[in-house]
Amino acid sequence: MTKAKYAMFDALNPFFEIVLEGLTGLVDGKHFFDAIAENARFDFRYDFPGWPRAIRGRAALMDMFSGYGKSIKLHSADGLQVHRSQDSRVVILEYDVHGTILATGASYDNRFSSIITIEGREVVHWRDYMDSLAAWTALNGKPVPAASSRS
């Protein structure tokens, strides 16, 4: 049932799997979305065109991720580092994802750090940091233009 329920998100499976590996023993659920509290808050600590700075709730997160597979297909994730906080509810994950930009065939390689708060064996808060330059470059085929300096 779970596999069919989340089939539309298959392009993200390497991300889901590495996050669940990092959260082993801390959350319940066989799929990433099963481990997310219904009213969880997600803060994305980067400005990236078309991506919100915050999302509230599992349903809104699923809606945001629903179009991901139309532009990027992940094929692997690695480099997992799990850091436990002094606050037993908080865990920090560092990981890399690798995939392909479907429109161009360009390689997509990105790094993430996620600060995750868990209550009642569910993720209730997620603060996400990524290498937005790597994402921009992969999606646009060129680096972000340098800011011009004024004399």
Side-chain angles (χ1 to χ4, degrees):
M1 170 67 177
T2 297
K3 185 169 175 81
K5 180 178 178 182
Y6 299 118
M8 72 181 300
F9 302 101
D10 283 353
L12 285 158
N13 280 343
F15 162 73
F16 297 145
E17 291 163 4
I18 202 160
V19 166
L20 286 178
E21 180 183 341
L23 298 178
T24 297
L26 302 174
V27 297
D28 293 329
K30 294 184 185 219
H31 189 275
F32 172 81
F33 291 124
D34 295 334
I36 306 297
E38 186 176 330
N39 64 345
R41 189 176 97 226
F42 292 81
D43 294 318
F44 303 99
R45 305 297 294 167
Y46 40 85
D47 285 317
F48 197 79
W51 198 259
R53 292 295 307 261
I55 293 176
R56 178 64 125 180
R58 179 187 328 118
L61 182 68
M62 290 175 72
D63 186 52
M64 192 67 199
F65 278 157
S66 68
Y68 191 93
K70 295 175 186 168
S71 59
I72 300 173
K73 167 77 169 126
L74 298 181
H75 55 73
S76 64
D78 56 30
L80 179 64
Q81 296 287 316
V82 180
H83 308 280
R84 298 303 302 260
S85 169
Q86 290 179 344
D87 180 338
S88 62
R89 301 170 310 136
V90 177
V91 64
I92 299 104
L93 302 182
E94 295 180 78
Y95 50 94
D96 301 339
V97 298
H98 312 283
T100 303
I101 305 300
L102 299 177
T104 64
S107 179
Y108 173 69
D109 298 288
N110 207 338
R111 301 173 297 203
F112 292 85
S113 293
S114 302
I115 302 169
I116 302 161
T117 304
I118 300 164
E119 293 177 1
R121 300 192 55 82
E122 293 181 311
V123 172
V124 296
H125 186 217
W126 185 291
R127 291 186 67 176
D128 205 46
Y129 298 84
M130 78 164 175
D131 182 348
S132 49
L133 179 58
W136 178 268
T137 301
L139 288 166
N140 293 285
K142 56 187 173 196
V144 174
S148 61
S149 61
R150 297 187 180 200
S151 354

